[in-house]
Amino acid sequence: MSELVSVIMPTFNASTFLAQSIDSVLNQTYSNLELLITDDASTDPATIDILNNYARKDSRVKVVFLKENNGPGYARNKSIERACGRYIAFCDSDDCWVPAKLELQVAFMKEKQCCLSYSSYYLCNENNKNCGIFIAPKSLTFSGILRDNKIGCLTAIYDTEALGTKYLMPTIRKRQDWALFMNILHSCRVAYGITEPLAYYRVRPQSVSRNKIRLINYNARVYQEILGFSIFKSYCYLLFLFMPSYTAKVLKRKIDSCRYHYLHKRGAT
């Protein structure tokens, strides 16, 4: 019998893509899952209606509505706390999975006997048009993730049985996923990646993660608050480890995306 997978999804005024994201989870070829949605005090009636409708028609959808907005990390934790599955997976309310994601990834984790896995993913715009690809590394260690987060949260799955506990998102306002993977890799030392793209990451101009300059200080705070580094050591890591690694990642993503579009265009002709 397949083990239960708990899928964690935070929502906040997310009606535009929410139904598409939920459908991509519920239509998985791996059906033994629960979709734990925590709504972070949405003020959009359409978002609330969508959530209530899905909860009524599919018992795997379990929704909790928060009275105050506390950010996506807090909302994810509220879902993780009530998760019953062996595996914890993540999908945001504007992202999507390919239909076989869970089936392929759970089998991969059993084969590798790993506690944390991730995959490559496509980039798509607000019109669902593919605009690139991120090719994930085949493995990642604790020292590697100190340099930069190369795990797309929408592709990550961790095994609570292998780790012996459920890991929560650290209580920082931004970069919680990077901090979470740091903590997990500090325990299990290595994570493994699937090079096949298993998800679609939505690239939106107003997305918080798109404003990289504003996030620089938050990256330094991760070193301080999660690893206990001094301010001086944190900014040294930021300048001499994070920034070069992040720049190389962005360049590689651009090259991989150009190659993907070229091959896709050749295949279509």
Side-chain angles (χ1 to χ4, degrees), residues 164-176:
T165 187
K166 290 191 294 188
Y167 276 75
L168 298 177
M169 293 267 176
T171 55
I172 53 180
R173 189 73 184 184
K174 295 181 177 67
R175 308 296 280 169
Q176 309 96 343

Side-chain angles (χ1 to χ4, degrees), residues 162-211:
L163 289 167
T165 187
K166 290 191 294 188
Y167 276 75
L168 298 177
M169 293 267 176
T171 55
I172 53 180
R173 189 73 184 184
K174 295 181 177 67
R175 308 296 280 169
Q176 309 96 343
D177 55 338
W178 184 29
L180 171 68
F181 304 142
M182 276 186 186
N183 286 337
I184 292 176
L185 278 172
H186 190 264
S187 297
C188 69
R189 301 299 175 185
V190 63
Y192 292 99
I194 300 174
T195 53
E196 178 183 352
L198 298 181
Y200 291 85
Y201 174 76
R202 186 88 55 186
V203 180
R204 294 193 289 160
Q206 68 271 32
S207 173
V208 172
S209 61
R210 292 279 291 167
N211 196 333

Side-chain angles (χ1 to χ4, degrees), residues 143-160:
S143 61
I145 205 163
L146 284 181
R147 295 174 177 270
D148 176 33
N149 184 19
K150 293 181 176 63
I151 299 177
C153 189
L154 74 163
T155 73
I157 299 180
Y158 72 82
D159 183 351
T160 64

Side-chain angles (χ1 to χ4, degrees), residues 146 178 219-225 227-229 234 237-238 242:
L146 284 181
W178 184 29
N219 294 329
R221 286 180 60 186
V222 168
Y223 291 127
Q224 294 176 57
E225 298 182 22
L227 301 177
F229 289 177
S234 296
Y237 263 69
L238 180 70
F242 177 89

Side-chain angles (χ1 to χ4, degrees), residues 55-76:
R56 278 194 295 266
K57 69 181 183 181
D58 195 318
S59 61
R60 296 175 297 170
V61 180
K62 302 167 186 178
V63 184
V64 166
F65 294 94
L66 300 181
K67 295 181 179 180
E68 296 181 2
N69 181 272
N70 292 281
Y74 182 90
R76 289 190 187 104

Side-chain angles (χ1 to χ4, degrees), residues 237-253:
Y237 263 69
L238 180 70
L239 292 173
F240 299 113
L241 290 178
F242 177 89
M243 293 303 294
S245 179
Y246 174 75
T247 302
K249 181 179 73 172
V250 171
L251 289 173
K252 182 180 182 301
R253 186 177 65 200

